[in-house]
Amino acid sequence: MGSTAARTFLAFHHNAKLYKLQTVVSAVKPFAALEEANRLLFKQGTDEDFAVVTEQTIFHPQGGGQPSDEGAISSLPSSAGEEALPSIFRVSAARMDAVHDGQVLHFGRFDAGPSGGPPQAFAAGAAVEQAIDVEKRVYYSRLHTAGHVLGAAVRHLLEGEVAGFDELKASHFPDSASCEFKGLIDGKWKEPIQRRLDEYVARAMPVEIEFWDEGDFIKNGLERLIPDKSLAAPGEKFRVVRIVGAETYPCGGTHVDTTDLCGETTVKKISRSKGISRVSYAVAL
């Protein structure tokens, strides 16, 4: 994999319900052979682990506040119709390559070979099928959409009530889901935020994926949200998630189709530190 290697096509950007995908292996590298910057992306990696790169992927790499997908990549029979047992690669984590721009590294291990023999690694150019853990993907999608709905609810309720208000960053990890805001949000707002959040979830507002250029942000009065140009591949537009009737956010994550699919979403607490407020939340399992 050289620095001019092709970017991985992020199939989940276009269809978050694509749970299986046939694609082609671009490269397979032993974990120990990776650049240090890439080894640091998978701290539990050992000499038994590999990084697999494919032309396309349905695995959402950790980032943007969303955890990595998990699952498996399996070899497909060759055109000669061979009957050999498939090689199976168990994906523990996916990350954006720290060295080769736009590539996704799938970290994990190959299953043992036939009769417990050595693992059979893929060859570059091999046809494979990806399959993600659907239950985790749906859960992460519900959490991510719920975070956007919470952000919209807080903005609509408090933008004119809290001095210096602005939305900052968010985490959509199961054990630490929260949205951060500039300004001090008093604890008295917890119940009003919950009521507005419940209203937006129950309204079943459509969640639409769109691709915008800078002009689209300006046209929609959202200049404040124009992302850094480096976040989009050359010639590509920015991906945005629009909750119809609420807010639009630049976002590379996966989402449910309508806000009611978030399920019961609970505001856990509001904490404040150094002029920033964090509203933590959870969705029902």
Side-chain angles (χ1 to χ4, degrees):
M1 295 192 299
S3 59
T4 58
R7 301 171 70 94
T8 305
F9 179 78
L10 306 179
F12 62 85
H13 266 184
H14 305 271
N15 183 356
K17 290 183 291 191
L18 195 61
Y19 301 142
K20 288 189 176 183
L21 175 71
Q22 292 188 8
T23 184
V24 173
V25 173
S26 301
V28 178
K29 273 198 171 185
F31 182 76
L34 293 172
E35 304 88 344
E36 182 182 10
N38 280 328
R39 292 199 304 274
L40 290 172
L41 297 174
F42 189 57
K43 292 192 168 90
Q44 64 267 45
T46 71
D47 288 346
E48 296 181 37
D49 294 294
F50 289 81
V52 172
V53 180
T54 52
E55 291 182 359
Q56 304 178 57
T57 190
I58 52 172
F59 285 83
H60 181 285
Q62 181 174 311
Q66 182 170 327
S68 164
D69 279 323
E70 299 174 30
I73 303 176
S74 305
S75 61
L76 293 171
S78 72
S79 56
E82 62 187 38
E83 296 295 328
L85 291 172
S87 295
I88 300 176
F89 182 71
R90 306 290 176 181
V91 179
S92 299
R95 298 285 191 278
M96 294 306 300
D97 193 307
V99 178
H100 308 105
D101 190 40
Q103 284 202 337
V104 175
L105 298 176
H106 305 83
F107 291 106
R109 296 183 182 184
F110 288 96
D111 282 0
S115 304
Q120 304 295 308
F122 307 135
V128 293
E129 182 174 71
Q130 298 180 338
I132 59 170
D133 183 322
V134 177
E135 187 174 329
K136 285 185 177 178
R137 159 61 69 81
V138 172
Y139 181 41
Y140 296 158
S141 297
R142 290 173 56 222
L143 273 165
H144 204 143
T145 302
H148 284 222
V149 176
L150 173 61
V154 173
R155 173 174 285 279
H156 295 172
L157 196 62
L158 298 181
E159 188 171 20
E161 302 285 343
V162 173
F165 178 89
D166 199 4
E167 292 180 73
L168 300 175
K169 60 183 180 179
S171 169
H172 312 294
F173 281 72
D175 297 326
S176 58
S178 64
C179 297
E180 290 189 4
F181 304 89
K182 187 178 179 182
L184 296 177
I185 301 175
D186 193 271
K188 70 180 182 181
W189 290 106
K190 183 172 181 285
E191 290 309 314
I193 291 171
Q194 182 69 64
R195 287 194 297 271
R196 184 67 63 95
L197 178 60
D198 290 343
E199 176 193 336
Y200 284 4
V201 169
R203 209 185 282 177
M205 294 185 281
V207 181
E208 299 181 349
I209 305 299
E210 299 178 357
F211 291 86
W212 287 9
D213 57 24
E214 290 189 11
D216 293 315
F217 284 93
I218 295 169
K219 184 174 63 179
N220 285 277
L222 295 171
E223 293 96 327
R224 63 183 171 81
L225 294 179
I226 295 175
D228 187 294
K229 290 182 179 179
S230 67
L231 297 177
E236 291 187 6
K237 295 183 177 183
F238 299 107
R239 184 177 185 266
V240 300
V241 173
R242 184 162 70 96
I243 301 174
V244 179
E247 291 286 330
T248 299
Y249 298 95
C251 181
T254 64
H255 291 268
V256 293
D257 288 339
T258 51
T259 57
D260 56 309
L261 296 176
C262 294
E264 182 182 354
T265 304
T266 304
V267 177
K268 293 167 64 179
K269 68 176 181 179
I270 301 173
S271 56
R272 295 162 293 279
S273 176
K274 299 179 180 178
I276 293 173
S277 299
R278 178 184 291 113
V279 181
S280 59
Y281 71 98
V283 299
L285 291 170

